[in-house]
Amino acid sequence: MTSRLLVLGGIRSGKSRWAESRFGAPGPAVRYLATGTGGDDADWAARVDAHRARRPAHWSTVESTDVAAVLGRPPHPPTLVDDLGGWLTALLDRHGWDPAARLGADVDALCGAVRAFPADLVLVSPEVGLSVVAGTTSGRRFADELGALNQRLAAECDRVVLVVAGQPLEVKPDGGGR
């Protein structure tokens, strides 16, 4: 039996570190699917480097925003996807942040890949709606799309945890049904 876990949390909530700890130490060989790369921004690059440095040496890393494709092709080791906010940003970038762009086919493909994944899977995603409403159209679009995505993924997962100040709160306990 495989397990699908969605880990939600705010910026710097500890969600990634907590998600990584789900595989234990020394734990299995895990594929870490990173959706954000360093880019040209020094602060962002430092955040990405901190994530890289924290991963066990026996984990493999794939940097890609094509999460559905990576999940769909063998091999299928236990996998951690961090994070789906990066995936959504890349998707919106591909559509030029066009308010009329429909993302449904991409979200459907992602949810289908999560549903079909034959090994343990941990998904990390930012939680939205815990602060002010964004002052820009693109910010509101991101929050709206991410909220809808998180709801879809929560329905696909066996368990959902919200991490606040490094502390996990069970939102959908294991066995909570899909």
Side-chain angles (χ1 to χ4, degrees), residues 21-141:
S21 74
R22 299 305 83 207
F23 292 104
V30 171
R31 175 177 53 190
Y32 190 105
L33 177 48
T35 64
T37 58
D40 296 329
D41 180 275
D43 178 62
W44 181 250
R47 288 172 185 247
V48 169
D49 288 344
H51 278 246
R52 285 182 183 136
R54 204 169 55 220
R55 290 179 213 143
H58 68 284
W59 286 16
S60 65
T61 299
V62 175
E63 292 184 355
S64 176
T65 57
D66 197 350
V67 175
V70 173
L71 293 179
R73 69 176 168 258
H76 295 108
T79 298
L80 189 152
V81 179
D82 193 2
D83 82 21
L84 292 166
W87 174 83
L88 179 60
T89 299
L91 178 61
L92 288 164
D93 283 348
R94 282 196 305 273
H95 287 282
W97 290 80
D98 178 359
R102 299 290 172 237
L103 309 181
D106 294 286
V107 171
D108 289 345
L110 175 62
C111 289
V114 166
R115 185 179 320 111
F117 193 71
D120 289 339
L121 180 62
V122 176
L123 306 167
V124 178
S125 187
E127 180 51 59
V128 297
L130 298 176
S131 73
V132 298
V133 175
T136 64
T137 301
S138 59
R140 288 187 297 274
R141 171 87 191 267

